[in-house]
Amino acid sequence: MTQDGELRLHLQLILDGSCPVVFRELTDPWEMARWWGPDGFTIASVESDLRPGGAYRIAMQPQEGKPFHVEGEFIEVEPPVRLSYTFCWEDPGSEDQETVVTLSLHDIDAARSELVLDQGDFATERRRAFHKEGWSQSLGKLGELLASPLD
């Protein structure tokens, strides 16, 4: 994974699975609940109206404490190669602001694809680092699921 840019996040990851397989993992609510969120979190629910202008809402449950929610609106939905949406915490902190996440998929061969994630702009370097850690852990779990699909 790599990261660069001024208050923007850029990650690249090679995943087992063709673009259609990975796109399904990125958009199917049941599949997302299996990998979304940083380590130690479970996903209580994923609501999604997967179309441009459609909304989504994800309930994230930490090991202790109350759940919190991520929500937004889909901007682009181009199966199986591109997904873009706004990302906002339901109860944002003082350093939080709405960002745009863009996920692009590229086939490497019949069994692997590259996922490129871009997100920004962040209000502070600390928030970008927070999202980098969360996405890295989440996408790491996605990679593990795709590497062992029979689980």
Side-chain angles (χ1 to χ4, degrees), residues 94-122:
S94 61
E95 293 185 342
D96 291 315
Q97 65 186 26
E98 182 178 271
T99 58
V100 173
V101 175
T102 301
L103 302 166
S104 302
L105 292 164
H106 311 279
D107 278 323
I108 294 174
D109 55 37
R112 297 178 303 142
S113 57
E114 177 187 46
L115 171 65
V116 178
L117 178 144
D118 288 293
Q119 183 179 8
D121 291 328
F122 293 97

Side-chain angles (χ1 to χ4, degrees), residues 52-103:
Y56 74 91
R57 185 171 187 256
I58 302 170
M60 301 173 63
Q61 177 65 56
Q63 290 177 341
E64 296 181 13
K66 295 181 178 182
F68 53 93
H69 300 87
V70 174
E71 60 187 6
E73 183 176 296
F74 293 104
I75 299 167
E76 296 176 84
V77 179
E78 298 176 20
V81 296
R82 189 170 173 87
L83 182 66
S84 180
Y85 51 88
T86 60
F87 184 109
C88 186
W89 299 106
E90 190 171 82
D91 295 316
S94 61
E95 293 185 342
D96 291 315
Q97 65 186 26
E98 182 178 271
T99 58
V100 173
V101 175
T102 301
L103 302 166

